[in-house]
């Protein structure tokens, strides 16, 4: 019954090609019927494999047998010509292993685990934190003019993306759960979309609002170490009040002291 309702919602979203629709799923319940449905309605799939090694993958999912189920679903999607992408994140004590398949390639863009959902600071180590840090060196990458113009008036993700949960709650992105546009059970998208979420920019973020670089900086709101929605990104090493970049090692040490974690024991 639930599956039929979900299909009805997906048909509604895709009927006029108004949305580019992608399902975020662990894929463990995708069978041939679902694969045919996804193909017929041009729906894309995004799933996660955390390692080529089953043990490491299931260390993250906490579900025995989840690796084989997701792997089999990916094979089915490929056979049915359903567009799919496989993401992975780097985290402490999880090895990517060695590639043994042509179905997917891990380590895409070296994305470090974000502090959203079940993610905890213990999943990071100093080397991974350094990959995430905004530093003087990392900030010297060229910024496109269109990004700057957009950042003046909109959030880089919330402006054009939404997530519809299984309960029909509409969130600004797949990882953000602290703010919600509303619910679709008795309303249309047009009725519930909150434009202030779409127009959120660094002018509303603590400390960032006083930073001269705020319109040049990509913002990931869900990647937060506390529940303060407007908090400055925890991984930014710049102090706009002093105009100084912190030493990376000292910055990381301060993070571990703040969260009372001995990283040498992680």
């Amino acid at each position: 019954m639930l599956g039929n309702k979900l299909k009805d919602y997906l048909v509604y979203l895709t009927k006029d090609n108004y949305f580019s629709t992608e399902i975020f799923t662990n894929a463990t319940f995708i069978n041939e019927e679902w694969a045919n449905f996804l193909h017929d309605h041009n729906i894309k799939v995004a799933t996660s494999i955390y390692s080529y090694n089953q043990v490491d993958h299931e260390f993250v999912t906490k579900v025995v047998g989840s690796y084989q189920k997701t792997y089999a679903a990916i094979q089915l999607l490929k056979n049915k010509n359903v567009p799919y992408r496989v993401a992975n994140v780097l985290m402490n004590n999880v090895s990517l292993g060695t590639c043994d398949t042509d179905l997917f390639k891990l380590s895409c863009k070296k994305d470090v685990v974000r502090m959203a959902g079940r993610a905890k600071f213990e999943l990071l180590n100093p080397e991974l934190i350094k990959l995430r840090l905004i530093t003087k060196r990392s900030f010297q990458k060229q910024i496109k003019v269109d990004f700057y113009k957009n950042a003046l008036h909109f959030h880089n993700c919330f402006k054009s993306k939404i997530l519809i949960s299984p309960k029909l709650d509409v969130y600004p992105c797949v990882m953000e759960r602290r703010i919600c546009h509303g619910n679709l059970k008795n309303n249309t998208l047009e009725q519930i979309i909150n434009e202030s979420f779409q127009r959120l920019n660094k002018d509303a973020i603590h400390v960032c609002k006083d930073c001269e670089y705020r319109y040049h900086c990509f913002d990931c709101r869900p990647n937060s170490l506390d529940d303060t929605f407007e908090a400055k990104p925890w991984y930014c090493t710049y102090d706009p009040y002093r105009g100084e970049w912190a030493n990376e090692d000292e910055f990381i040490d301060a993070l571990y002291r703040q969260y009372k974690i001995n990283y040498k024991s992680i």
Side-chain angles (χ1 to χ4, degrees):
M1 186 68 176
L2 178 60
N4 291 333
K5 286 185 176 180
L6 178 57
K7 288 178 180 178
D8 290 340
Y9 294 134
L10 290 169
V11 170
Y12 169 76
L13 291 172
T14 59
K15 63 180 180 180
D16 296 320
N17 292 321
Y18 184 73
F19 292 100
S20 173
T21 304
E22 183 175 58
I23 294 181
F24 279 70
T25 174
N26 58 32
T28 56
F29 288 102
I30 291 180
N31 54 23
E32 187 164 356
E33 178 186 348
W34 265 104
N36 287 330
F37 173 84
L38 296 170
H39 174 268
D40 293 343
H41 294 278
N42 194 31
I43 298 172
K44 299 181 285 291
V45 173
T47 191
S48 296
I49 292 283
Y50 300 101
S51 171
Y52 294 109
N53 182 290
Q54 179 174 344
V55 173
D56 282 294
H57 174 82
E58 293 177 2
F59 169 78
V60 178
T61 66
K62 307 301 183 186
V63 178
V64 176
S66 59
Y67 180 86
Q68 291 299 334
K69 289 181 179 179
T70 300
Y71 188 97
I74 295 171
Q75 181 69 70
L76 185 58
L77 294 173
K78 182 177 181 179
N79 293 344
K80 298 292 184 178
N81 293 316
V82 176
Y84 69 89
R85 61 189 178 96
V86 179
N88 73 287
V89 293
L90 305 180
M91 61 187 78
N92 193 46
N93 292 326
V94 177
S95 171
L96 291 179
T98 302
C99 181
D100 58 359
T101 179
D102 61 354
L103 290 177
F104 53 86
K105 184 177 181 180
L106 302 186
S107 195
C108 53
K109 297 183 180 179
K110 300 292 183 182
D111 193 14
V112 178
V113 61
R114 307 185 195 201
M115 298 296 99
R118 293 191 294 118
K120 304 297 181 183
F121 194 59
E122 290 85 345
L123 292 175
L124 298 170
N125 58 42
E127 289 71 28
L128 292 177
I129 293 175
K130 284 187 177 182
L131 291 176
R132 174 63 69 189
L133 289 183
I134 299 173
T135 66
K136 184 176 182 179
R137 182 182 63 257
S138 68
F139 205 70
Q140 291 175 348
K141 296 179 182 179
Q142 186 175 3
I143 302 295
K144 294 183 179 180
V145 173
D146 287 344
F147 179 89
Y148 172 79
K149 290 180 177 179
N150 180 77
L152 286 170
H153 306 290
F154 296 98
H155 188 269
N156 39 245
C157 292
F158 297 172
K159 70 179 178 68
S160 59
K161 297 179 181 180
I162 59 170
L163 170 80
I164 303 175
S165 78
K167 295 182 179 179
L168 298 187
D169 292 314
V170 179
Y171 296 100
C173 86
V174 69
M175 289 183 285
E176 183 56 70
R177 293 294 186 277
R178 292 169 296 182
I179 58 175
C180 180
H181 286 287
N183 188 277
L184 290 176
K185 287 181 180 178
N186 300 306
N187 302 283
T188 66
L189 275 176
E190 290 78 9
Q191 291 172 324
I192 67 173
I193 290 296
N194 189 330
E195 190 174 299
S196 66
F197 298 163
Q198 297 175 313
R199 292 188 173 276
L200 178 78
N201 68 3
K202 286 296 185 71
D203 291 337
I205 305 306
H206 299 163
V207 182
C208 296
K209 63 184 180 181
D210 299 316
C211 180
E212 64 269 39
Y213 302 126
R214 63 189 181 277
Y215 301 132
H216 296 241
C217 192
F218 185 88
D219 183 55
C220 182
R221 280 297 87 205
N223 193 3
S224 174
L225 285 171
D226 58 42
D227 292 328
T228 306
F229 180 73
E230 300 87 359
K232 173 190 175 184
W234 63 268
Y235 44 89
C236 177
T237 67
Y238 184 65
D239 182 348
Y241 304 113
R242 301 175 63 185
E244 296 178 355
W245 297 90
N247 174 276
E248 292 183 30
D249 292 326
E250 293 176 358
F251 185 86
I252 293 172
D253 285 342
L255 281 174
Y256 279 106
R257 289 197 302 273
Q258 178 181 352
Y259 292 97
K260 297 180 174 59
I261 296 173
N262 180 5
Y263 66 78
K264 293 182 181 180
S265 67
I266 295 179

